Amino acid sequence: MRNAVIEEDLKFITDCRNVPWERLEGKNILISGANGFLPSYIVETVLFLNETRFNKKATVFALVRNRERTQERFQHYAGRKDLVFIVQDVCVPVILTESIDFIIHAASQASPKFYGKDPVGTLSANILGTHNLLTLAYEKKSEAFLFISSGEVYGEVSESTISIKEDMYGYLDPTLVRSCYAEGKRAGEALCVCWSHQYGVPTTIVRPG
């Protein structure tokens, strides 16, 4: 059974009438980093739409690295046919026989505790992982590719800045290990722009604060 707080959140999210939820009906949706806070909510939102709104269910392909953690996080969805787990590192090419209509790339080590411990893994998920999933989107002729970036791409901005605008970018030192996350996100964004420009992959970038 779903957590009561999550249930309330899902009702609030799916009540947003300005979101074209119908685009997802009956579609195959790949979500990387599905164990994470934001992507796990995206997974549950689609499953909730299957229960409450869609006549033809969407299928979520949840890409994760840790099987045990996944089984614990999504234990109340065990046995559902509309949730398929893919256990692998996003830095390895993703091979699927199914069609994939939408891809949401959210796999990334977002906590600062990983930046010094595993900077290579942090950087790779945002560069190699993004490349692999953009390749998949191109091969599958996906309808849309969403890259979950970060407000970290703005770098160090003045403390006097009340709100950051899209054209405001601060300083980042690429020689600091701590920059692996922000630089990885910047590179991931550039990859999205390049694949959209050169290969026509329909990409969108969002930057949670």
Side-chain angles (χ1 to χ4, degrees), residues 28-31 34 43 47 58-64 70 74 77 79-87 96 98 100:
N28 289 344
I29 306 159
L30 173 65
I31 303 172
V43 170
L47 298 180
T59 300
V60 175
F61 292 82
L63 195 153
V64 298
T70 300
F74 297 103
Y77 294 108
R80 287 184 60 149
K81 294 182 179 180
D82 54 351
L83 178 58
V84 178
F85 294 111
I86 304 168
V87 183
L96 291 173
E98 297 88 350
I100 298 295

PDB file of all heavy atoms in Angstrom, residues 28-31 34 43 47 58-64 70 74 77 79-87 96 98 100:
ATOM      1  N   ASN A  28       5.485   3.952 -23.858  1.00  0.00           N
ATOM      2  CA  ASN A  28       6.605   3.352 -23.136  1.00  0.00           C
ATOM      3  C   ASN A  28       7.548   4.462 -22.693  1.00  0.00           C
ATOM      4  O   ASN A  28       8.022   5.242 -23.533  1.00  0.00           O
ATOM      5  CB  ASN A  28       7.357   2.364 -24.023  1.00  0.00           C
ATOM      6  CG  ASN A  28       6.563   1.098 -24.287  1.00  0.00           C
ATOM      7  OD1 ASN A  28       5.586   0.810 -23.599  1.00  0.00           O
ATOM      8  ND2 ASN A  28       6.966   0.335 -25.292  1.00  0.00           N
ATOM      9  N   ILE A  29       7.815   4.524 -21.384  1.00  0.00           N
ATOM     10  CA  ILE A  29       8.570   5.630 -20.812  1.00  0.00           C
ATOM     11  C   ILE A  29       9.779   5.088 -20.046  1.00  0.00           C
ATOM     12  O   ILE A  29       9.614   4.329 -19.086  1.00  0.00           O
ATOM     13  CB  ILE A  29       7.688   6.463 -19.858  1.00  0.00           C
ATOM     14  CG1 ILE A  29       6.405   6.908 -20.579  1.00  0.00           C
ATOM     15  CG2 ILE A  29       8.447   7.648 -19.295  1.00  0.00           C
ATOM     16  CD1 ILE A  29       5.284   7.282 -19.647  1.00  0.00           C
ATOM     17  N   LEU A  30      10.962   5.477 -20.470  1.00  0.00           N
ATOM     18  CA  LEU A  30      12.181   5.066 -19.775  1.00  0.00           C
ATOM     19  C   LEU A  30      12.608   6.172 -18.824  1.00  0.00           C
ATOM     20  O   LEU A  30      12.753   7.332 -19.230  1.00  0.00           O
ATOM     21  CB  LEU A  30      13.306   4.791 -20.788  1.00  0.00           C
ATOM     22  CG  LEU A  30      14.702   4.512 -20.201  1.00  0.00           C
ATOM     23  CD1 LEU A  30      14.695   3.219 -19.407  1.00  0.00           C
ATOM     24  CD2 LEU A  30      15.755   4.467 -21.293  1.00  0.00           C
ATOM     25  N   ILE A  31      12.812   5.804 -17.553  1.00  0.00           N
ATOM     26  CA  ILE A  31      13.230   6.765 -16.528  1.00  0.00           C
ATOM     27  C   ILE A  31      14.508   6.249 -15.883  1.00  0.00           C
ATOM     28  O   ILE A  31      14.502   5.204 -15.229  1.00  0.00           O
ATOM     29  CB  ILE A  31      12.130   6.966 -15.467  1.00  0.00           C
ATOM     30  CG1 ILE A  31      10.831   7.426 -16.128  1.00  0.00           C
ATOM     31  CG2 ILE A  31      12.584   7.962 -14.404  1.00  0.00           C
ATOM     32  CD1 ILE A  31       9.637   7.457 -15.194  1.00  0.00           C
ATOM     33  N   ALA A  34      15.838   5.761 -11.375  1.00  0.00           N
ATOM     34  CA  ALA A  34      14.468   5.683 -10.850  1.00  0.00           C
ATOM     35  C   ALA A  34      14.371   5.551  -9.336  1.00  0.00           C
ATOM     36  O   ALA A  34      13.295   5.752  -8.770  1.00  0.00           O
ATOM     37  CB  ALA A  34      13.725   4.529 -11.514  1.00  0.00           C
ATOM     38  N   VAL A  43       8.046   8.089 -11.628  1.00  0.00           N
ATOM     39  CA  VAL A  43       7.587   6.710 -11.813  1.00  0.00           C
ATOM     40  C   VAL A  43       6.203   6.531 -11.202  1.00  0.00           C
ATOM     41  O   VAL A  43       5.265   6.034 -11.852  1.00  0.00           O
ATOM     42  CB  VAL A  43       8.574   5.708 -11.169  1.00  0.00           C
ATOM     43  CG1 VAL A  43       7.972   4.304 -11.156  1.00  0.00           C
ATOM     44  CG2 VAL A  43       9.906   5.700 -11.902  1.00  0.00           C
ATOM     45  N   LEU A  47       2.343   5.646 -12.840  1.00  0.00           N
ATOM     46  CA  LEU A  47       1.573   4.497 -12.372  1.00  0.00           C
ATOM     47  C   LEU A  47       0.231   4.933 -11.787  1.00  0.00           C
ATOM     48  O   LEU A  47      -0.791   4.251 -11.955  1.00  0.00           O
ATOM     49  CB  LEU A  47       2.377   3.714 -11.326  1.00  0.00           C
ATOM     50  CG  LEU A  47       3.702   3.113 -11.817  1.00  0.00           C
ATOM     51  CD1 LEU A  47       4.387   2.362 -10.687  1.00  0.00           C
ATOM     52  CD2 LEU A  47       3.481   2.204 -13.009  1.00  0.00           C
ATOM     53  N   ALA A  58       0.239   3.204 -19.632  1.00  0.00           N
ATOM     54  CA  ALA A  58       1.626   3.441 -20.022  1.00  0.00           C
ATOM     55  C   ALA A  58       2.495   2.388 -19.339  1.00  0.00           C
ATOM     56  O   ALA A  58       2.115   1.828 -18.311  1.00  0.00           O
ATOM     57  CB  ALA A  58       2.058   4.836 -19.597  1.00  0.00           C
ATOM     58  N   THR A  59       3.661   2.120 -19.907  1.00  0.00           N
ATOM     59  CA  THR A  59       4.608   1.199 -19.291  1.00  0.00           C
ATOM     60  C   THR A  59       5.862   1.961 -18.917  1.00  0.00           C
ATOM     61  O   THR A  59       6.448   2.653 -19.753  1.00  0.00           O
ATOM     62  CB  THR A  59       4.985   0.045 -20.246  1.00  0.00           C
ATOM     63  OG1 THR A  59       3.803  -0.686 -20.593  1.00  0.00           O
ATOM     64  CG2 THR A  59       5.974  -0.908 -19.583  1.00  0.00           C
ATOM     65  N   VAL A  60       6.252   1.858 -17.655  1.00  0.00           N
ATOM     66  CA  VAL A  60       7.453   2.526 -17.168  1.00  0.00           C
ATOM     67  C   VAL A  60       8.615   1.540 -17.159  1.00  0.00           C
ATOM     68  O   VAL A  60       8.529   0.462 -16.567  1.00  0.00           O
ATOM     69  CB  VAL A  60       7.242   3.079 -15.737  1.00  0.00           C
ATOM     70  CG1 VAL A  60       8.538   3.670 -15.211  1.00  0.00           C
ATOM     71  CG2 VAL A  60       6.137   4.108 -15.722  1.00  0.00           C
ATOM     72  N   PHE A  61       9.691   1.918 -17.829  1.00  0.00           N
ATOM     73  CA  PHE A  61      10.937   1.162 -17.787  1.00  0.00           C
ATOM     74  C   PHE A  61      11.863   1.924 -16.842  1.00  0.00           C
ATOM     75  O   PHE A  61      12.394   2.977 -17.190  1.00  0.00           O
ATOM     76  CB  PHE A  61      11.549   1.037 -19.182  1.00  0.00           C
ATOM     77  CG  PHE A  61      10.758   0.178 -20.115  1.00  0.00           C
ATOM     78  CD1 PHE A  61       9.664   0.698 -20.789  1.00  0.00           C
ATOM     79  CD2 PHE A  61      11.084  -1.156 -20.310  1.00  0.00           C
ATOM     80  CE1 PHE A  61       8.913  -0.092 -21.648  1.00  0.00           C
ATOM     81  CE2 PHE A  61      10.334  -1.964 -21.161  1.00  0.00           C
ATOM     82  CZ  PHE A  61       9.245  -1.429 -21.838  1.00  0.00           C
ATOM     83  N   ALA A  62      12.009   1.396 -15.634  1.00  0.00           N
ATOM     84  CA  ALA A  62      12.777   2.076 -14.583  1.00  0.00           C
ATOM     85  C   ALA A  62      14.203   1.552 -14.571  1.00  0.00           C
ATOM     86  O   ALA A  62      14.453   0.394 -14.224  1.00  0.00           O
ATOM     87  CB  ALA A  62      12.118   1.856 -13.227  1.00  0.00           C
ATOM     88  N   LEU A  63      15.142   2.410 -14.961  1.00  0.00           N
ATOM     89  CA  LEU A  63      16.546   2.020 -15.011  1.00  0.00           C
ATOM     90  C   LEU A  63      17.204   2.338 -13.667  1.00  0.00           C
ATOM     91  O   LEU A  63      17.187   3.484 -13.212  1.00  0.00           O
ATOM     92  CB  LEU A  63      17.258   2.763 -16.153  1.00  0.00           C
ATOM     93  CG  LEU A  63      18.625   2.231 -16.574  1.00  0.00           C
ATOM     94  CD1 LEU A  63      18.901   2.577 -18.037  1.00  0.00           C
ATOM     95  CD2 LEU A  63      19.741   2.780 -15.703  1.00  0.00           C
ATOM     96  N   VAL A  64      17.754   1.307 -13.030  1.00  0.00           N
ATOM     97  CA  VAL A  64      18.339   1.447 -11.694  1.00  0.00           C
ATOM     98  C   VAL A  64      19.648   0.661 -11.619  1.00  0.00           C
ATOM     99  O   VAL A  64      19.904  -0.220 -12.426  1.00  0.00           O
ATOM    100  CB  VAL A  64      17.369   0.920 -10.604  1.00  0.00           C
ATOM    101  CG1 VAL A  64      16.089   1.723 -10.587  1.00  0.00           C
ATOM    102  CG2 VAL A  64      17.048  -0.559 -10.830  1.00  0.00           C
ATOM    103  N   THR A  70      15.859  -1.001  -4.994  1.00  0.00           N
ATOM    104  CA  THR A  70      14.686  -0.844  -5.852  1.00  0.00           C
ATOM    105  C   THR A  70      13.518  -1.672  -5.345  1.00  0.00           C
ATOM    106  O   THR A  70      12.376  -1.199  -5.290  1.00  0.00           O
ATOM    107  CB  THR A  70      15.032  -1.272  -7.296  1.00  0.00           C
ATOM    108  OG1 THR A  70      16.093  -0.456  -7.781  1.00  0.00           O
ATOM    109  CG2 THR A  70      13.825  -1.126  -8.208  1.00  0.00           C
ATOM    110  N   PHE A  74      10.043   0.175  -4.234  1.00  0.00           N
ATOM    111  CA  PHE A  74       8.823  -0.046  -5.007  1.00  0.00           C
ATOM    112  C   PHE A  74       8.131  -1.362  -4.651  1.00  0.00           C
ATOM    113  O   PHE A  74       7.445  -1.953  -5.487  1.00  0.00           O
ATOM    114  CB  PHE A  74       9.152  -0.021  -6.501  1.00  0.00           C
ATOM    115  CG  PHE A  74       9.673   1.298  -6.998  1.00  0.00           C
ATOM    116  CD1 PHE A  74      11.030   1.481  -7.237  1.00  0.00           C
ATOM    117  CD2 PHE A  74       8.815   2.364  -7.231  1.00  0.00           C
ATOM    118  CE1 PHE A  74      11.516   2.697  -7.701  1.00  0.00           C
ATOM    119  CE2 PHE A  74       9.289   3.585  -7.683  1.00  0.00           C
ATOM    120  CZ  PHE A  74      10.644   3.751  -7.924  1.00  0.00           C
ATOM    121  N   TYR A  77       4.523  -2.158  -5.508  1.00  0.00           N
ATOM    122  CA  TYR A  77       4.150  -2.293  -6.915  1.00  0.00           C
ATOM    123  C   TYR A  77       4.560  -3.654  -7.479  1.00  0.00           C
ATOM    124  O   TYR A  77       4.506  -3.862  -8.691  1.00  0.00           O
ATOM    125  CB  TYR A  77       4.822  -1.197  -7.748  1.00  0.00           C
ATOM    126  CG  TYR A  77       4.334   0.193  -7.428  1.00  0.00           C
ATOM    127  CD1 TYR A  77       5.144   1.103  -6.748  1.00  0.00           C
ATOM    128  CD2 TYR A  77       3.056   0.614  -7.799  1.00  0.00           C
ATOM    129  CE1 TYR A  77       4.702   2.379  -6.455  1.00  0.00           C
ATOM    130  CE2 TYR A  77       2.604   1.888  -7.504  1.00  0.00           C
ATOM    131  CZ  TYR A  77       3.427   2.763  -6.837  1.00  0.00           C
ATOM    132  OH  TYR A  77       2.980   4.037  -6.543  1.00  0.00           O
ATOM    133  N   GLY A  79       4.834  -7.134  -9.007  1.00  0.00           N
ATOM    134  CA  GLY A  79       3.925  -7.912  -9.842  1.00  0.00           C
ATOM    135  C   GLY A  79       3.176  -7.120 -10.890  1.00  0.00           C
ATOM    136  O   GLY A  79       2.456  -7.692 -11.710  1.00  0.00           O
ATOM    137  N   ARG A  80       3.338  -5.803 -10.900  1.00  0.00           N
ATOM    138  CA  ARG A  80       2.629  -4.989 -11.887  1.00  0.00           C
ATOM    139  C   ARG A  80       3.303  -5.091 -13.255  1.00  0.00           C
ATOM    140  O   ARG A  80       4.516  -4.992 -13.377  1.00  0.00           O
ATOM    141  CB  ARG A  80       2.573  -3.527 -11.434  1.00  0.00           C
ATOM    142  CG  ARG A  80       1.602  -3.315 -10.290  1.00  0.00           C
ATOM    143  CD  ARG A  80       1.464  -1.871  -9.901  1.00  0.00           C
ATOM    144  NE  ARG A  80       0.991  -1.004 -10.979  1.00  0.00           N
ATOM    145  CZ  ARG A  80       0.249   0.079 -10.777  1.00  0.00           C
ATOM    146  NH1 ARG A  80      -0.124   0.395  -9.538  1.00  0.00           N
ATOM    147  NH2 ARG A  80      -0.110   0.837 -11.773  1.00  0.00           N
ATOM    148  N   LYS A  81       2.485  -5.239 -14.282  1.00  0.00           N
ATOM    149  CA  LYS A  81       3.005  -5.381 -15.635  1.00  0.00           C
ATOM    150  C   LYS A  81       3.381  -4.038 -16.258  1.00  0.00           C
ATOM    151  O   LYS A  81       4.070  -4.000 -17.278  1.00  0.00           O
ATOM    152  CB  LYS A  81       1.982  -6.099 -16.512  1.00  0.00           C
ATOM    153  CG  LYS A  81       1.736  -7.551 -16.103  1.00  0.00           C
ATOM    154  CD  LYS A  81       0.756  -8.223 -17.043  1.00  0.00           C
ATOM    155  CE  LYS A  81       0.537  -9.675 -16.644  1.00  0.00           C
ATOM    156  NZ  LYS A  81      -0.434 -10.345 -17.556  1.00  0.00           N
ATOM    157  N   ASP A  82       2.901  -2.939 -15.647  1.00  0.00           N
ATOM    158  CA  ASP A  82       3.198  -1.622 -16.212  1.00  0.00           C
ATOM    159  C   ASP A  82       4.477  -1.011 -15.632  1.00  0.00           C
ATOM    160  O   ASP A  82       4.780   0.147 -15.891  1.00  0.00           O
ATOM    161  CB  ASP A  82       2.027  -0.656 -16.011  1.00  0.00           C
ATOM    162  CG  ASP A  82       1.575  -0.553 -14.556  1.00  0.00           C
ATOM    163  OD1 ASP A  82       2.047  -1.357 -13.721  1.00  0.00           O
ATOM    164  OD2 ASP A  82       0.742   0.316 -14.252  1.00  0.00           O
ATOM    165  N   LEU A  83       5.229  -1.802 -14.861  1.00  0.00           N
ATOM    166  CA  LEU A  83       6.501  -1.347 -14.305  1.00  0.00           C
ATOM    167  C   LEU A  83       7.566  -2.409 -14.556  1.00  0.00           C
ATOM    168  O   LEU A  83       7.491  -3.522 -14.038  1.00  0.00           O
ATOM    169  CB  LEU A  83       6.373  -1.074 -12.805  1.00  0.00           C
ATOM    170  CG  LEU A  83       7.641  -0.626 -12.073  1.00  0.00           C
ATOM    171  CD1 LEU A  83       8.212   0.650 -12.676  1.00  0.00           C
ATOM    172  CD2 LEU A  83       7.365  -0.431 -10.585  1.00  0.00           C
ATOM    173  N   VAL A  84       8.549  -2.047 -15.383  1.00  0.00           N
ATOM    174  CA  VAL A  84       9.619  -2.968 -15.752  1.00  0.00           C
ATOM    175  C   VAL A  84      10.949  -2.388 -15.270  1.00  0.00           C
ATOM    176  O   VAL A  84      11.266  -1.228 -15.567  1.00  0.00           O
ATOM    177  CB  VAL A  84       9.676  -3.165 -17.285  1.00  0.00           C
ATOM    178  CG1 VAL A  84      10.822  -4.098 -17.662  1.00  0.00           C
ATOM    179  CG2 VAL A  84       8.342  -3.687 -17.807  1.00  0.00           C
ATOM    180  N   PHE A  85      11.703  -3.179 -14.535  1.00  0.00           N
ATOM    181  CA  PHE A  85      12.986  -2.705 -14.019  1.00  0.00           C
ATOM    182  C   PHE A  85      14.132  -3.142 -14.926  1.00  0.00           C
ATOM    183  O   PHE A  85      14.193  -4.293 -15.372  1.00  0.00           O
ATOM    184  CB  PHE A  85      13.225  -3.222 -12.601  1.00  0.00           C
ATOM    185  CG  PHE A  85      12.269  -2.671 -11.592  1.00  0.00           C
ATOM    186  CD1 PHE A  85      11.308  -3.478 -11.006  1.00  0.00           C
ATOM    187  CD2 PHE A  85      12.310  -1.328 -11.247  1.00  0.00           C
ATOM    188  CE1 PHE A  85      10.407  -2.963 -10.086  1.00  0.00           C
ATOM    189  CE2 PHE A  85      11.417  -0.800 -10.336  1.00  0.00           C
ATOM    190  CZ  PHE A  85      10.464  -1.628  -9.750  1.00  0.00           C
ATOM    191  N   ILE A  86      15.028  -2.203 -15.206  1.00  0.00           N
ATOM    192  CA  ILE A  86      16.249  -2.476 -15.954  1.00  0.00           C
ATOM    193  C   ILE A  86      17.404  -2.211 -14.998  1.00  0.00           C
ATOM    194  O   ILE A  86      17.637  -1.063 -14.607  1.00  0.00           O
ATOM    195  CB  ILE A  86      16.375  -1.569 -17.188  1.00  0.00           C
ATOM    196  CG1 ILE A  86      15.136  -1.707 -18.080  1.00  0.00           C
ATOM    197  CG2 ILE A  86      17.641  -1.879 -17.964  1.00  0.00           C
ATOM    198  CD1 ILE A  86      15.060  -0.644 -19.155  1.00  0.00           C
ATOM    199  N   VAL A  87      18.092  -3.249 -14.583  1.00  0.00           N
ATOM    200  CA  VAL A  87      19.159  -3.111 -13.589  1.00  0.00           C
ATOM    201  C   VAL A  87      20.502  -3.049 -14.308  1.00  0.00           C
ATOM    202  O   VAL A  87      21.026  -4.068 -14.772  1.00  0.00           O
ATOM    203  CB  VAL A  87      19.130  -4.262 -12.573  1.00  0.00           C
ATOM    204  CG1 VAL A  87      20.199  -4.047 -11.501  1.00  0.00           C
ATOM    205  CG2 VAL A  87      17.746  -4.384 -11.935  1.00  0.00           C
ATOM    206  N   LEU A  96      17.443  -2.320 -25.692  1.00  0.00           N
ATOM    207  CA  LEU A  96      16.053  -2.722 -25.492  1.00  0.00           C
ATOM    208  C   LEU A  96      15.429  -3.081 -26.830  1.00  0.00           C
ATOM    209  O   LEU A  96      15.690  -2.422 -27.843  1.00  0.00           O
ATOM    210  CB  LEU A  96      15.247  -1.580 -24.854  1.00  0.00           C
ATOM    211  CG  LEU A  96      15.566  -1.204 -23.406  1.00  0.00           C
ATOM    212  CD1 LEU A  96      14.799   0.058 -23.014  1.00  0.00           C
ATOM    213  CD2 LEU A  96      15.196  -2.344 -22.467  1.00  0.00           C
ATOM    214  N   GLU A  98      12.041  -3.224 -27.040  1.00  0.00           N
ATOM    215  CA  GLU A  98      10.775  -2.503 -27.054  1.00  0.00           C
ATOM    216  C   GLU A  98      10.938  -1.096 -27.622  1.00  0.00           C
ATOM    217  O   GLU A  98      12.032  -0.517 -27.592  1.00  0.00           O
ATOM    218  CB  GLU A  98      10.197  -2.405 -25.631  1.00  0.00           C
ATOM    219  CG  GLU A  98       9.850  -3.743 -24.995  1.00  0.00           C
ATOM    220  CD  GLU A  98      11.028  -4.372 -24.262  1.00  0.00           C
ATOM    221  OE1 GLU A  98      12.157  -3.862 -24.399  1.00  0.00           O
ATOM    222  OE2 GLU A  98      10.810  -5.381 -23.571  1.00  0.00           O
ATOM    223  N   ILE A 100      10.547   2.877 -27.331  1.00  0.00           N
ATOM    224  CA  ILE A 100      10.615   3.804 -26.206  1.00  0.00           C
ATOM    225  C   ILE A 100      10.144   5.162 -26.702  1.00  0.00           C
ATOM    226  O   ILE A 100      10.789   5.792 -27.543  1.00  0.00           O
ATOM    227  CB  ILE A 100      12.050   3.908 -25.629  1.00  0.00           C
ATOM    228  CG1 ILE A 100      12.511   2.556 -25.090  1.00  0.00           C
ATOM    229  CG2 ILE A 100      12.102   4.961 -24.526  1.00  0.00           C
ATOM    230  CD1 ILE A 100      11.725   2.031 -23.909  1.00  0.00           C
TER     231      ILE A 100
END
